[in-house]
């Protein structure tokens, strides 16, 4: 077998993942090929170097905490996900848009409140007064083809002009 | 839990839990907590998040225990959930995959709590060199593409078989072999100066 082919199998050889026949072929090749033997040694050293990082131990109360969560329906992880979201995590331009939108809503609401007139429990805006002024009788005395005159009549009666 | 000479398998524990022996679940947690925690921590790079994920993994397992059927090894099932939750967490929190391996001070502190670095057997490295080597290892693993990194974590740290890794990652045995071969090749290059030191 070519060195190139052997090298493709060296990792699996190191991890004990080759079948008997393949394992023997790789093993035999390595004993007779110094380059592949060197490659094997270097890989072996790289893998053993990884073990310098041994990982972490669970906290002492890991099991206790888990059983508390089981008892409470497992709310801990959900709260972790909830706390991860905050207004500051939203991109700045979206935050700005939200603030502007809120400002507009509050402004319109406030403006509407201050300009309303309370009549019999119903708030009437100047716009509504105009609408009331524009009654059908504006059109009754006007010739059907005289829309200009109707328009003048409407403007004359508008409460906004007073 | 009765003391037997023979080691009770995970599947037997599950069966006994399903038959009403509640303490068997605790035994499963004790058996697998470290592995689940370490896979989560190597992916998220954060101890607190890893602990939360590990807890969530066991919570999900607990909820599904009565419906669990041993179609695959229990540990395979466990690692699948761990990988999914960890990767989701990484995506959600927008943290860089394997921040742990960056070698930054904060991360270093996190992973030194175990305090077991001095127990390394048969290594000529001094403690300072070990720290340097740890940093280099984390950086090297961080430099791997995602799937190579997951395959390396599962094979080199969790010591899972290629068959089990293929089931967890949902790919063929050949693909796992390729991922690990390429991953090791890159690690060998990245860690060349440390290998020569040894």
């Amino acid at each position: 077998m070519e060195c190139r082919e052997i090298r493709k199998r060296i990792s699996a050889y190191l991890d004990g993942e080759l079948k008997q026949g393949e394992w023997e072929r790789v093993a035999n090749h390595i004993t007779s090929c110094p380059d592949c033997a060197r490659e094997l040694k270097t890989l072996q050293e790289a893998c053993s170097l990884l073990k310098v990082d041994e990982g972490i131990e669970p906290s002492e109360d890991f099991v206790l905490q888990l059983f508390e969560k089981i008892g409470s329906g497992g709310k801990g992880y959900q709260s972790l996900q909830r706390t991860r979201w905050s207004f500051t995590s939203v991109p700045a331009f979206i935050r700005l848009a939200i603030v502007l939108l809120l400002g507009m809503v509050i402004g319109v609401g406030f403006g509407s409140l201050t300009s309303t007139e309370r009549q019999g429990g119903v708030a009437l805006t100047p716009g509504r007064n105009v609408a009331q002024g524009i009654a059908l009788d504006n059109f009754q005395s006007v010739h059907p083809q005289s829309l200009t005159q109707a328009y003048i009549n409407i403007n004359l009666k508008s409460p906004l002009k007073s | 839990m009765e003391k037997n000479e023979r080691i009770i398998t995970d599947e037997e524990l599950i069966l006994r839990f399903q038959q009403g022996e509640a303490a068997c679940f605790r035994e499963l947690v004790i058996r697998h907590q470290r592995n689940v925690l370490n896979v989560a921590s190597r992916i998220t790079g954060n101890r607190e998040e890893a602990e939360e994920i590990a807890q969530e993994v066991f919570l999900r397992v607990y909820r599904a225990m009565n419906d669990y059927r041993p179609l695959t090894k229990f540990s395979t099932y466990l690692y699948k959930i761990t990988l999914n939750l960890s990767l989701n967490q990484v995506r959600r929190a927008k943290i860089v995959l394997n921040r742990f391996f960056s070698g930054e001070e904060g991360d270093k502190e996190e992973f030194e709590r175990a305090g077991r670095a001095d127990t390394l057997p048969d290594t000529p490295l001094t403690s300072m060199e070990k720290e340097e080597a740890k940093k280099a290892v984390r950086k090297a693993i961080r430099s791997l593409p995602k799937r190579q990194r997951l395959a390396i974590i599962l094979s080199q740290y969790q010591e899972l078989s290629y068959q089990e890794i293929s089931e967890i990652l949902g790919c063929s045995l050949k693909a796992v072999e390729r991922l690990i071969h390429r991953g090791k090749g890159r690690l060998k290059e990245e860690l060349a100066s440390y290998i020569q030191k040894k």
Side-chain angles (χ1 to χ4, degrees):
Chain A
M1 209 189 286
E2 299 283 329
C3 288
R4 206 174 142 197
E5 286 302 308
I6 288 288
R7 287 185 189 195
K8 278 185 189 168
R9 312 307 309 273
I10 277 185
S11 284
Y13 172 81
L14 265 178
D15 292 335
E17 289 283 344
L18 293 184
K19 290 175 187 155
Q20 187 64 27
E22 286 174 304
W23 187 88
E24 277 170 9
R25 275 199 294 182
V26 175
N28 288 338
H29 179 89
I30 284 166
T31 52
S32 61
C33 175
D35 285 347
C36 287
R38 203 174 304 117
E39 171 72 8
L40 174 74
K41 191 169 175 277
T42 320
L43 268 186
Q44 221 163 3
E45 284 173 350
C47 292
S48 68
L49 188 62
L50 297 183
K51 301 285 190 299
V52 81
D53 186 1
E54 294 187 304
I56 52 173
E57 293 297 325
S59 58
E60 283 177 8
D61 58 351
F62 182 88
V63 179
L64 188 72
Q65 275 184 26
L66 175 67
F67 279 87
E68 276 173 8
K69 282 178 188 171
I70 286 172
S72 68
K75 288 178 183 143
Y77 186 73
Q78 290 156 16
S79 70
L80 171 85
Q81 291 178 45
R82 267 201 305 274
T83 52
R84 209 160 293 294
W85 189 90
S86 70
F87 189 63
T88 51
S89 66
V90 176
F93 71 95
I94 295 180
R95 272 184 279 162
L96 183 67
I98 291 171
V99 169
L100 285 174
L101 196 68
L102 273 174
M104 279 169 64
V105 169
I106 292 167
V108 167
F110 187 72
S112 162
L113 268 178
T114 53
S115 62
T116 53
E117 295 172 45
R118 294 265 160 200
Q119 289 183 359
V122 180
L124 294 176
T125 62
R128 189 162 175 152
N129 286 333
V130 172
Q132 278 187 336
I134 307 168
L136 280 173
D137 58 359
N138 284 309
F139 298 92
Q140 282 168 0
S141 61
V142 176
H143 191 274
Q145 287 176 338
S146 178
L147 285 173
T148 311
Q149 188 56 49
Y151 177 76
I152 292 164
N153 285 345
I154 289 166
N155 274 319
L156 284 174
K157 290 191 176 185
S158 171
L160 290 176
K161 299 242 171 186
S162 59
Chain B
M1 190 119 316
E2 66 188 56
K3 298 262 176 188
N4 278 344
E5 286 294 314
R6 188 176 66 87
I7 296 167
I8 305 167
T9 64
D10 291 342
E11 288 68 27
E12 282 173 297
L13 283 170
I14 294 165
L15 191 66
R16 283 165 62 168
F17 176 86
Q18 289 171 341
Q19 289 166 350
E21 222 177 302
C24 290
F25 180 70
R26 190 186 174 87
E27 174 63 22
L28 279 171
V29 175
I30 290 167
R31 223 176 245 197
H32 295 285
Q33 57 178 343
R34 191 175 188 278
N35 286 336
V36 169
L37 177 70
N38 275 287
V39 169
S41 73
R42 288 195 160 98
I43 295 172
T44 63
N46 179 290
R47 188 192 171 95
E48 277 83 35
E49 283 174 359
E51 287 245 359
E52 290 292 342
I53 288 165
Q55 298 242 334
E56 177 64 12
V57 169
F58 287 112
L59 268 176
R60 289 192 183 192
V61 170
Y62 180 81
R63 288 183 197 131
M65 277 286 266
N66 284 322
D67 302 320
Y68 178 80
R69 298 289 171 267
L71 299 172
T72 55
K73 268 177 78 179
F74 177 69
S75 57
T76 305
Y77 169 68
L78 210 53
Y79 283 125
K80 265 189 187 179
I81 304 175
T82 309
L83 247 60
N84 284 339
L85 286 180
S86 303
L87 292 173
N88 283 347
Q89 180 63 31
V90 168
R91 273 193 288 269
R92 189 168 37 237
K94 290 183 183 174
I95 57 175
V96 181
L97 190 70
N98 284 353
R99 191 173 58 197
F100 160 44
F101 295 114
S102 68
E104 286 161 15
E105 284 306 305
D107 300 328
K108 189 176 137 196
E109 189 187 320
E110 293 281 351
F111 287 88
E112 278 174 2
R113 284 184 200 164
R116 297 173 61 221
D118 294 336
T119 60
L120 279 177
D122 306 326
T123 168
L125 297 174
T126 66
S127 64
M128 220 170 125
E129 284 171 334
K130 270 181 219 162
E131 282 316 312
E132 266 184 46
K134 248 192 211 179
K135 270 188 181 181
V137 163
R138 291 169 186 174
K139 197 177 166 194
I141 291 182
R142 190 187 170 209
S143 73
L144 298 176
K146 189 174 92 180
R147 285 179 75 79
Q148 281 181 25
R149 196 164 23 189
L150 294 178
I152 289 288
I153 289 171
L154 293 175
S155 72
Q156 302 305 302
Y157 289 108
Q158 303 312 123
E159 297 178 349
L160 301 188
S161 69
Y162 286 12
Q163 178 61 43
E164 209 172 349
I165 297 170
S166 77
E167 286 169 29
I168 293 167
L169 297 183
C171 58
S172 69
L173 269 177
K174 273 276 160 211
V176 171
E177 191 180 332
R178 264 198 306 274
L179 285 172
I180 292 173
H181 174 69
R182 286 175 189 165
K184 280 184 185 173
R186 284 177 82 145
L187 289 175
K188 185 192 76 180
E189 284 166 21
E190 292 284 329
L191 299 169
S193 57
Y194 288 89
I195 294 167
Q196 280 156 17
K197 266 188 206 171
K198 281 185 84 186

